[in-house]
Coordinates of all heavy atoms in Angstrom, one line a residue:
M1 N 0.8 -1.2 0.0 CA 0.0 0.0 0.0 C 0.9 1.2 0.1 O 1.9 1.3 0.6 CB -0.9 0.1 1.3 CG -2.1 -0.8 1.2 SD -3.1 -0.6 2.6 CE -4.0 -2.0 2.4
R2 N 0.3 2.2 -0.7 CA 1.1 3.5 -0.7 C 0.2 4.5 0.0 O -1.0 4.6 -0.1 CB 1.3 3.9 -2.2 CG 2.1 3.0 -2.8 CD 2.4 3.4 -4.3 NE 2.4 4.8 -4.3 CZ 2.8 5.4 -5.6 NH1 2.9 4.7 -6.7 NH2 2.9 6.7 -5.6
P3 N 1.0 5.4 0.7 CA 0.1 6.4 1.5 C -0.5 7.5 0.4 O 0.1 7.7 -0.7 CB 1.3 7.2 2.3 CG 2.4 6.4 2.3 CD 2.3 5.4 1.1
V4 N -1.6 8.0 0.8 CA -2.3 8.9 -0.1 C -2.6 10.2 0.7 O -2.9 10.0 2.0 CB -3.6 8.4 -0.8 CG1 -3.3 7.2 -1.7 CG2 -4.6 7.9 0.2
F5 N -2.6 11.3 0.1 CA -3.0 12.5 0.7 C -4.5 12.8 0.4 O -4.9 13.1 -0.7 CB -2.1 13.7 0.2 CG -2.3 15.0 1.1 CD1 -1.6 14.9 2.3 CD2 -2.9 16.1 0.6 CE1 -1.7 16.1 3.0 CE2 -3.0 17.2 1.4 CZ -2.4 17.2 2.7
A6 N -5.4 12.6 1.5 CA -6.8 12.6 1.2 C -7.6 13.2 2.4 O -7.0 13.4 3.3 CB -7.3 11.2 0.9
S7 N -8.8 13.3 2.2 CA -9.7 13.9 3.3 C -10.8 12.9 3.4 O -11.5 12.6 2.5 CB -10.2 15.2 3.0 OG -11.2 15.7 3.9
I8 N -11.2 12.6 4.7 CA -12.4 12.0 5.0 C -13.2 12.7 6.1 O -12.7 12.6 7.3 CB -12.2 10.4 5.5 CG1 -11.5 9.7 4.4 CG2 -13.6 9.9 5.9 CD1 -10.9 8.5 4.9
D9 N -14.1 13.5 5.7 CA -14.9 14.3 6.8 C -13.9 15.2 7.5 O -14.1 15.2 8.8 CB -15.7 13.4 7.5 CG -16.7 12.7 6.9 OD1 -17.1 13.1 5.9 OD2 -17.3 11.7 7.4
G10 N -12.9 15.9 6.9 CA -12.1 16.7 7.8 C -11.0 17.2 6.8 O -11.1 17.1 5.6
P11 N -9.9 17.8 7.5 CA -8.8 18.2 6.7 C -8.0 17.1 6.1 O -8.0 16.0 6.5 CB -8.0 18.9 7.8 CG -8.2 18.3 9.0 CD -9.7 17.9 8.9
E12 N -7.4 17.5 4.9 CA -6.6 16.4 4.2 C -5.3 16.1 5.0 O -4.8 17.0 5.8 CB -6.1 17.1 2.7 CG -7.3 17.1 1.7 CD -6.8 17.4 0.4 OE1 -5.7 18.0 0.3 OE2 -7.6 17.2 -0.5
R13 N -5.0 14.9 5.0 CA -3.8 14.4 5.6 C -3.4 13.2 4.8 O -4.1 12.5 4.1 CB -4.2 14.1 7.2 CG -5.3 13.0 7.3 CD -5.5 12.9 8.7 NE -6.5 11.7 8.9 CZ -7.8 11.9 9.2 NH1 -8.3 13.1 9.2 NH2 -8.6 10.8 9.3
W14 N -2.1 12.7 5.3 CA -1.5 11.5 4.7 C -2.3 10.3 5.4 O -2.4 10.3 6.6 CB -0.1 11.4 4.9 CG 0.7 12.2 3.9 CD1 1.2 13.4 4.3 CD2 0.8 12.1 2.6 NE1 1.8 14.0 3.2 CE2 1.6 13.1 2.1 CE3 0.7 11.1 1.7 CZ2 2.0 13.3 0.8 CZ3 1.1 11.2 0.5 CH2 1.6 12.2 0.0
M15 N -2.6 9.2 4.6 CA -3.4 8.0 5.0 C -2.9 6.8 4.4 O -2.4 6.9 3.3 CB -4.9 8.2 4.9 CG -5.6 9.3 5.7 SD -7.3 9.3 5.5 CE -7.7 10.2 4.2
I16 N -3.0 5.7 5.0 CA -2.6 4.4 4.5 C -3.5 3.5 5.3 O -3.9 3.6 6.4 CB -1.2 4.0 4.7 CG1 -0.8 2.7 4.1 CG2 -0.8 4.0 6.2 CD1 0.6 2.5 3.9
G17 N -4.0 2.5 4.6 CA -4.9 1.4 5.2 C -6.1 1.1 4.4 O -6.1 1.3 3.2
V18 N -7.1 0.6 5.1 CA -8.2 0.0 4.4 C -9.4 0.9 4.8 O -9.5 1.2 6.0 CB -8.4 -1.5 4.9 CG1 -9.9 -1.9 4.2 CG2 -7.3 -2.3 4.5
M19 N -10.2 1.2 3.9 CA -11.4 2.1 4.1 C -12.7 1.1 4.1 O -12.8 0.3 3.2 CB -11.5 3.1 3.2 CG -10.4 4.2 3.1 SD -10.6 5.5 3.9 CE -12.1 6.2 3.1
P20 N -13.6 1.3 5.0 CA -14.9 0.5 5.0 C -15.7 1.0 3.7 O -15.5 2.1 3.3 CB -15.6 0.9 6.2 CG -14.9 2.2 6.7 CD -13.6 2.2 6.2
Q21 N -16.5 0.0 3.2 CA -17.3 0.4 2.0 C -18.3 1.3 2.4 O -18.8 2.2 1.7 CB -18.0 -1.0 1.6 CG -17.0 -2.0 0.9 CD -16.5 -1.4 -0.4 OE1 -17.2 -0.6 -1.2 NE2 -15.4 -1.8 -0.9
Q22 N -18.9 1.2 3.6 CA -19.9 2.0 4.1 C -19.4 3.1 5.0 O -18.4 2.8 5.8 CB -21.1 1.2 5.0 CG -21.6 0.3 4.0 CD -22.6 -0.6 5.0 OE1 -22.3 -1.0 6.0 NE2 -23.9 -1.0 4.4
K23 N -20.0 4.2 5.1 CA -19.5 5.3 5.9 C -20.0 4.9 7.4 O -21.1 4.6 7.7 CB -20.1 6.7 5.6 CG -19.7 7.8 6.4 CD -20.2 9.0 6.0 CE -19.8 10.3 6.8 NZ -20.4 11.4 6.4
L24 N -19.1 4.9 8.5 CA -19.3 4.7 9.8 C -20.0 5.9 10.3 O -19.5 7.1 10.2 CB -18.1 4.4 10.5 CG -17.3 3.1 10.0 CD1 -16.1 2.8 10.8 CD2 -18.2 1.8 10.1
N25 N -21.0 5.8 11.2 CA -21.6 6.8 11.9 C -21.1 7.0 13.2 O -21.6 6.4 14.3 CB -23.2 6.6 11.9 CG -23.8 6.8 10.6 OD1 -23.3 7.5 9.7 ND2 -24.7 5.9 10.3
L26 N -20.0 7.6 13.4 CA -19.3 7.8 14.8 C -19.8 9.1 15.4 O -19.9 10.1 14.6 CB -17.8 7.7 14.5 CG -17.1 6.6 13.9 CD1 -15.6 6.7 13.9 CD2 -17.4 5.3 14.8
V27 N -20.0 9.1 16.6 CA -20.4 10.3 17.2 C -19.4 10.7 18.3 O -18.9 9.8 19.2 CB -21.8 10.0 18.1 CG1 -22.2 11.3 18.9 CG2 -22.9 9.5 17.1
T28 N -18.9 11.8 18.1 CA -17.9 12.4 19.1 C -18.5 13.4 19.8 O -19.1 14.3 19.3 CB -16.7 12.9 18.3 OG1 -16.1 11.9 17.4 CG2 -15.5 13.4 19.1
T29 N -18.2 13.3 21.2 CA -18.8 14.3 22.2 C -17.7 14.9 23.0 O -16.9 14.2 23.5 CB -19.8 13.7 23.0 OG1 -20.9 13.0 22.2 CG2 -20.6 14.8 23.9
Q30 N -17.6 16.3 23.1 CA -16.7 16.9 24.0 C -17.5 17.2 25.3 O -18.5 17.8 25.3 CB -16.2 18.2 23.4 CG -15.2 18.0 22.3 CD -14.7 19.2 21.7 OE1 -15.1 20.3 22.0 NE2 -13.5 19.1 21.0
L31 N -16.9 16.8 26.5 CA -17.5 16.9 27.7 C -16.6 17.7 28.6 O -15.3 17.8 28.5 CB -17.7 15.5 28.4 CG -18.6 14.5 27.5 CD1 -18.5 13.2 28.3 CD2 -19.9 15.0 27.5
F32 N -17.2 18.5 29.5 CA -16.5 19.3 30.4 C -15.9 18.2 31.5 O -16.4 17.0 31.6 CB -17.3 20.3 31.2 CG -17.6 21.4 30.2 CD1 -18.8 21.6 29.7 CD2 -16.6 22.4 29.9 CE1 -19.2 22.7 28.8 CE2 -16.9 23.4 29.1 CZ -18.2 23.6 28.5
L33 N -14.9 18.6 32.1 CA -14.3 17.7 33.1 C -15.2 16.9 34.1 O -15.1 15.7 34.1 CB -13.2 18.4 33.8 CG -12.3 17.4 34.8 CD1 -11.7 16.4 33.8 CD2 -11.3 18.2 35.5
P34 N -16.0 17.5 34.8 CA -16.9 16.7 35.8 C -17.9 15.6 34.9 O -17.7 14.5 35.4 CB -17.8 17.7 36.4 CG -17.1 19.0 36.2 CD -16.3 18.9 34.9
R35 N -18.3 16.0 33.9 CA -19.1 15.1 33.1 C -18.2 14.0 32.4 O -18.7 12.8 32.4 CB -19.9 15.8 32.0 CG -20.8 14.9 31.1 CD -22.1 14.7 31.6 NE -23.0 13.6 30.9 CZ -23.6 14.0 29.8 NH1 -23.7 15.3 29.4 NH2 -24.1 13.1 29.1
A36 N -17.2 14.3 32.0 CA -16.1 13.5 31.3 C -15.7 12.4 32.4 O -15.6 11.2 32.2 CB -14.9 14.1 30.8
L37 N -15.4 12.8 33.6 CA -15.1 12.0 34.7 C -16.2 11.0 35.0 O -15.9 9.8 35.3 CB -14.7 12.7 36.0 CG -14.3 12.0 37.2 CD1 -13.0 11.1 36.9 CD2 -14.0 12.9 38.3
R38 N -17.4 11.4 35.1 CA -18.6 10.6 35.4 C -18.7 9.6 34.2 O -18.9 8.2 34.6 CB -19.9 11.3 35.5 CG -20.1 12.0 36.8 CD -21.5 12.5 37.0 NE -21.9 13.4 35.9 CZ -21.8 14.7 36.0 NH1 -21.1 15.4 37.0 NH2 -22.3 15.5 34.9
E39 N -18.5 10.0 33.0 CA -18.6 9.0 31.9 C -17.5 8.0 31.9 O -17.8 6.8 31.6 CB -18.6 9.7 30.6 CG -18.8 8.9 29.3 CD -20.2 8.2 29.3 OE1 -21.1 8.5 30.0 OE2 -20.3 7.3 28.5
S40 N -16.3 8.4 32.2 CA -15.2 7.6 32.5 C -15.5 6.4 33.5 O -15.2 5.3 33.2 CB -13.9 8.3 32.6 OG -12.8 7.5 32.9
L41 N -16.0 7.0 34.6 CA -16.3 6.0 35.7 C -17.3 5.0 35.3 O -17.3 3.7 35.6 CB -16.7 6.7 36.9 CG -15.5 7.5 37.6 CD1 -16.1 8.4 38.7 CD2 -14.5 6.6 38.2
R42 N -18.4 5.4 34.5 CA -19.4 4.6 34.0 C -19.0 3.5 33.1 O -19.2 2.4 33.1 CB -20.5 5.4 33.4 CG -21.8 4.7 33.1 CD -22.8 5.6 32.3 NE -22.5 5.9 31.0 CZ -22.6 5.1 30.1 NH1 -23.1 3.9 30.2 NH2 -22.4 5.5 28.8
Q43 N -18.1 4.1 32.1 CA -17.5 3.1 31.1 C -16.6 2.0 31.8 O -16.7 0.8 31.5 CB -16.9 3.8 30.0 CG -17.7 4.7 29.1 CD -18.6 3.8 28.2 OE1 -18.3 2.6 27.9 NE2 -19.8 4.3 27.9
N44 N -15.7 2.5 32.6 CA -14.9 1.7 33.4 C -15.6 0.7 34.2 O -15.3 -0.4 34.4 CB -13.7 2.5 34.2 CG -12.7 2.9 33.3 OD1 -12.1 2.1 32.5 ND2 -12.6 4.2 33.2
G45 N -16.7 1.1 34.9 CA -17.6 0.3 35.7 C -18.1 -0.9 34.9 O -18.2 -2.0 35.4
K46 N -18.6 -0.5 33.7 CA -19.1 -1.5 32.8 C -18.2 -2.6 32.4 O -18.4 -3.8 32.5 CB -19.8 -0.8 31.5 CG -21.1 -0.2 31.6 CD -21.5 0.5 30.4 CE -21.6 -0.4 29.2 NZ -22.2 0.4 28.0
G47 N -16.9 -2.2 32.2 CA -15.9 -3.0 31.8 C -15.5 -3.9 32.9 O -15.4 -5.2 32.8
A48 N -15.4 -3.4 34.3 CA -15.2 -4.2 35.4 C -16.2 -5.2 35.7 O -16.0 -6.3 36.1 CB -15.0 -3.3 36.6
M49 N -17.5 -4.8 35.4 CA -18.6 -5.8 35.6 C -18.5 -7.0 34.7 O -18.7 -8.1 35.0 CB -20.1 -5.1 35.4 CG -20.3 -4.2 36.5 SD -20.5 -4.9 38.1 CE -21.8 -6.2 37.9
L50 N -18.2 -6.8 33.3 CA -18.0 -7.8 32.5 C -16.8 -8.7 32.9 O -16.9 -10.0 32.7 CB -17.6 -7.2 31.1 CG -18.9 -6.5 30.3 CD1 -18.4 -5.9 29.1 CD2 -20.0 -7.5 30.0
I51 N -15.8 -8.2 33.3 CA -14.5 -8.9 33.9 C -15.1 -9.8 35.0 O -14.7 -11.0 35.1 CB -13.5 -8.1 34.2 CG1 -12.8 -7.5 33.0 CG2 -12.3 -8.8 35.0 CD1 -11.7 -6.4 33.2
A52 N -15.8 -9.2 36.0 CA -16.4 -9.9 37.2 C -17.3 -11.1 36.8 O -17.2 -12.1 37.3 CB -17.0 -8.9 38.1
Q53 N -18.1 -10.8 35.8 CA -19.1 -11.7 35.4 C -18.4 -13.0 34.7 O -18.7 -14.1 34.9 CB -20.2 -11.2 34.4 CG -21.1 -10.4 34.8 CD -22.0 -9.6 33.8 OE1 -21.7 -9.7 32.7 NE2 -22.9 -9.0 34.4
F54 N -17.3 -12.7 33.9 CA -16.3 -13.8 33.4 C -15.8 -14.6 34.3 O -15.9 -15.8 34.3 CB -15.4 -13.2 32.3 CG -14.6 -14.2 31.7 CD1 -15.0 -15.1 30.7 CD2 -13.3 -14.4 32.2 CE1 -14.2 -16.0 30.1 CE2 -12.6 -15.5 31.7 CZ -13.0 -16.2 30.7
L55 N -15.1 -13.9 35.3 CA -14.5 -14.6 36.4 C -15.5 -15.4 37.1 O -15.1 -16.6 37.6 CB -13.7 -13.7 37.2 CG -12.5 -13.0 36.5 CD1 -11.9 -11.9 37.6 CD2 -11.5 -13.9 36.0
K56 N -16.6 -15.0 37.5 CA -17.6 -15.7 38.2 C -18.0 -17.0 37.3 O -18.1 -18.1 37.8 CB -18.8 -14.9 38.5 CG -20.0 -15.6 39.2 CD -21.2 -14.6 39.4 CE -22.3 -15.4 40.0 NZ -23.4 -14.7 40.1
G57 N -18.1 -16.8 36.0 CA -18.4 -17.9 35.2 C -17.4 -18.9 35.2 O -17.7 -20.2 35.2
V58 N -16.1 -18.5 35.3 CA -14.9 -19.5 35.3 C -15.0 -20.3 36.7 O -14.8 -21.4 36.6 CB -13.6 -18.8 35.2 CG1 -12.3 -19.7 35.6 CG2 -13.5 -18.2 33.7
V59 N -15.3 -19.5 37.7 CA -15.4 -20.1 39.1 C -16.5 -21.2 39.1 O -16.4 -22.3 39.7 CB -15.5 -19.1 40.2 CG1 -15.8 -19.7 41.6 CG2 -14.3 -18.3 40.3
E60 N -17.6 -20.8 38.5 CA -18.7 -21.7 38.6 C -18.6 -22.9 37.4 O -19.6 -23.5 37.3 CB -20.0 -20.9 38.3 CG -20.3 -19.9 39.5 CD -21.6 -19.1 39.3 OE1 -22.0 -18.9 38.1 OE2 -22.0 -18.3 40.3
R61 N -17.6 -22.8 36.8 CA -17.4 -23.7 35.6 C -18.3 -23.6 34.5 O -18.7 -24.6 33.9 CB -17.2 -25.1 36.1 CG -16.0 -25.4 37.0 CD -16.0 -26.8 37.6 NE -14.8 -26.8 38.5 CZ -13.7 -27.6 38.2 NH1 -13.6 -28.3 37.1 NH2 -12.9 -27.7 39.1
R62 N -18.9 -22.4 34.3 CA -19.8 -22.2 33.2 C -19.1 -21.7 31.9 O -19.4 -21.7 30.8 CB -20.9 -21.2 33.5 CG -21.9 -21.6 34.5 CD -23.0 -20.7 34.8 NE -22.4 -19.4 35.4 CZ -22.4 -18.2 34.9 NH1 -22.9 -18.0 33.7 NH2 -21.9 -17.2 35.7
M63 N -17.8 -21.1 32.2 CA -17.0 -20.6 31.2 C -15.5 -21.1 31.4 O -15.1 -21.5 32.5 CB -17.0 -19.1 31.2 CG -18.3 -18.5 30.9 SD -18.1 -16.6 31.0 CE -19.7 -16.1 30.8
S64 N -14.8 -21.3 30.3 CA -13.6 -21.9 30.2 C -12.5 -20.8 30.3 O -12.6 -19.9 29.6 CB -13.2 -22.8 29.1 OG -11.9 -23.1 29.0
P65 N -11.3 -21.0 31.1 CA -10.4 -19.9 31.0 C -9.6 -20.0 29.8 O -8.9 -19.1 29.4 CB -9.5 -20.3 32.1 CG -9.9 -21.8 32.7 CD -11.3 -21.9 32.2
K66 N -9.9 -20.9 29.0 CA -9.2 -21.0 27.6 C -9.8 -20.0 26.7 O -9.3 -19.7 25.6 CB -9.6 -22.4 27.0 CG -8.8 -23.6 27.6 CD -9.2 -24.8 26.9 CE -8.5 -26.0 27.6 NZ -8.8 -27.3 27.1
N67 N -10.9 -19.3 27.1 CA -11.3 -18.1 26.3 C -10.6 -16.8 26.4 O -10.9 -16.0 25.8 CB -12.8 -17.8 26.7 CG -13.9 -18.9 26.3 OD1 -13.6 -19.8 25.4 ND2 -14.9 -19.1 27.1
L68 N -9.8 -16.9 27.5 CA -8.8 -15.9 27.6 C -7.7 -15.8 26.7 O -7.3 -16.9 26.3 CB -8.2 -15.7 29.1 CG -9.2 -15.5 30.2 CD1 -8.6 -15.7 31.5 CD2 -9.8 -14.0 30.1
T69 N -7.2 -14.7 26.3 CA -6.0 -14.6 25.4 C -5.4 -13.3 25.5 O -5.8 -12.3 26.0 CB -6.5 -14.7 23.8 OG1 -5.3 -14.8 23.0 CG2 -7.2 -13.4 23.4
G70 N -3.9 -13.4 25.4 CA -3.2 -12.3 25.6 C -2.8 -11.6 24.3 O -3.5 -11.9 23.3
P71 N -1.8 -10.7 24.3 CA -1.5 -10.0 23.1 C -1.2 -10.9 21.9 O -1.4 -10.6 20.7 CB -0.2 -9.2 23.4 CG -0.3 -9.2 24.8 CD -1.0 -10.4 25.4
I72 N -0.4 -12.1 22.1 CA -0.1 -12.8 21.0 C -1.4 -13.5 20.4 O -1.5 -13.7 19.2 CB 0.9 -14.0 21.5 CG1 2.3 -13.4 21.8 CG2 1.1 -15.1 20.4 CD1 3.2 -14.3 22.5
G73 N -2.2 -14.0 21.2 CA -3.4 -14.5 20.8 C -4.3 -13.6 20.1 O -4.9 -13.9 19.0
I74 N -4.4 -12.4 20.4 CA -5.1 -11.4 19.7 C -4.5 -11.0 18.5 O -5.2 -10.9 17.4 CB -5.1 -10.1 20.6 CG1 -5.9 -10.2 21.9 CG2 -5.7 -8.8 19.8 CD1 -5.9 -9.2 22.9
A75 N -3.2 -11.1 18.3 CA -2.5 -10.9 17.1 C -2.9 -12.0 16.0 O -3.1 -11.8 14.9 CB -1.1 -10.6 17.3
Q76 N -2.8 -13.2 16.6 CA -3.2 -14.3 15.8 C -4.5 -14.3 15.3 O -4.9 -14.5 14.0 CB -2.9 -15.7 16.5 CG -1.6 -16.0 16.7 CD -1.4 -17.2 17.7 OE1 -2.3 -17.4 18.6 NE2 -0.1 -17.8 17.7
L77 N -5.5 -13.8 16.2 CA -6.9 -13.8 15.7 C -7.1 -12.6 14.7 O -7.8 -12.8 13.7 CB -7.8 -13.6 16.9 CG -8.0 -14.7 17.9 CD1 -8.7 -14.3 19.2 CD2 -8.7 -15.9 17.2
S78 N -6.4 -11.6 14.9 CA -6.5 -10.5 14.0 C -5.9 -10.9 12.6 O -6.5 -10.5 11.6 CB -5.6 -9.3 14.5 OG -6.1 -8.9 15.6
G79 N -4.8 -11.7 12.6 CA -4.2 -12.2 11.3 C -5.3 -13.1 10.7 O -5.4 -13.0 9.4
E80 N -6.0 -14.0 11.3 CA -6.9 -14.8 10.8 C -8.0 -14.1 10.0 O -8.4 -14.3 9.1 CB -7.6 -15.8 11.8 CG -6.5 -16.8 12.2 CD -7.0 -17.7 13.4 OE1 -8.2 -17.7 13.6 OE2 -6.2 -18.3 14.0
A81 N -8.6 -12.9 10.9 CA -9.6 -12.1 10.3 C -9.3 -11.4 9.1 O -10.0 -11.3 8.1 CB -10.0 -11.2 11.4
A82 N -7.9 -10.9 9.0 CA -7.3 -10.2 7.9 C -7.3 -11.1 6.7 O -7.6 -10.6 5.6 CB -6.0 -9.6 8.2
R83 N -6.9 -12.4 7.0 CA -6.9 -13.4 5.8 C -8.2 -13.6 5.2 O -8.4 -13.9 4.1 CB -6.2 -14.6 6.2 CG -4.6 -14.4 6.4 CD -3.9 -15.7 6.5 NE -4.1 -16.3 7.9 CZ -3.5 -15.8 8.9 NH1 -2.5 -14.9 8.9 NH2 -3.7 -16.3 10.2
E84 N -9.3 -13.5 6.1 CA -10.5 -13.8 5.6 C -11.1 -12.7 4.8 O -12.0 -12.8 3.9 CB -11.6 -14.1 6.8 CG -11.3 -15.5 7.4 CD -12.2 -15.5 8.7 OE1 -13.3 -14.9 8.8 OE2 -11.9 -16.5 9.5
G85 N -10.6 -11.5 5.0 CA -11.0 -10.4 4.2 C -12.2 -9.7 4.9 O -12.8 -10.1 5.9
P86 N -12.7 -8.6 4.2 CA -14.0 -7.9 4.8 C -15.2 -8.7 4.6 O -15.2 -9.6 3.7 CB -14.0 -6.8 3.8 CG -13.4 -7.1 2.6 CD -12.3 -8.1 3.0
P87 N -16.1 -8.5 5.6 CA -17.4 -9.3 5.4 C -18.2 -8.8 4.2 O -18.1 -7.7 3.7 CB -18.2 -8.7 6.7 CG -17.5 -7.4 7.2 CD -16.1 -7.4 6.5
H88 N -19.0 -9.7 3.7 CA -19.7 -9.6 2.5 C -21.1 -9.4 2.9 O -21.8 -10.1 3.7 CB -19.6 -10.8 1.6 CG -18.2 -11.0 1.1 ND1 -17.6 -10.2 0.3 CD2 -17.2 -11.9 1.5 CE1 -16.4 -10.6 -0.1 NE2 -16.1 -11.8 0.7
S89 N -21.8 -8.4 2.4 CA -23.2 -8.1 2.7 C -24.2 -8.9 1.8 O -24.0 -9.1 0.6 CB -23.5 -6.7 2.5 OG -22.7 -5.8 3.3

């Protein structure tokens, strides 16, 4: 791949990579510090609850610790997904 100087909903800049076929509807919100802190705590709380639920499932033997993966496993799964290519609609 070669870098290209292009614009996607903003100023032109050098880009390299793969672009999705459909435009993604991302919402960006700027928050003042107190509200940003509350939102951060809320999001981190949700993540902590998911981790706790998973660990509870492992202890109760409803889930396998084999479902856990580290950076190497994540890289392997990413490579497999890249080799499969983009999803077809």
Side-chain angles (χ1 to χ4, degrees):
M1 280 187 195
R2 293 177 42 172
V4 295
F5 195 71
S7 170
I8 302 173
D9 296 335
E12 287 189 344
R13 61 183 185 257
W14 286 101
M15 293 188 269
I16 186 169
V18 177
M19 301 256 311
Q21 292 286 337
Q22 297 174 318
K23 183 177 178 181
L24 300 176
N25 292 324
L26 300 177
V27 177
T28 303
T29 306
Q30 291 184 342
L31 304 174
F32 290 106
L33 184 59
R35 177 90 188 268
L37 181 59
R38 281 195 304 273
E39 183 63 18
S40 174
L41 292 172
R42 187 180 76 77
Q43 291 291 332
N44 284 299
K46 282 174 58 175
M49 287 299 297
L50 289 172
I51 292 169
Q53 288 173 352
F54 176 78
L55 292 175
K56 181 180 176 187
V58 170
V59 169
E60 294 175 349
R61 296 181 182 246
R62 290 183 294 115
M63 296 181 187
S64 171
K66 292 180 182 177
N67 290 335
L68 291 175
T69 188
I72 293 173
I74 292 170
Q76 290 170 338
L77 291 171
S78 298
E80 290 173 17
R83 283 187 289 281
E84 288 180 17
H88 300 286
S89 307

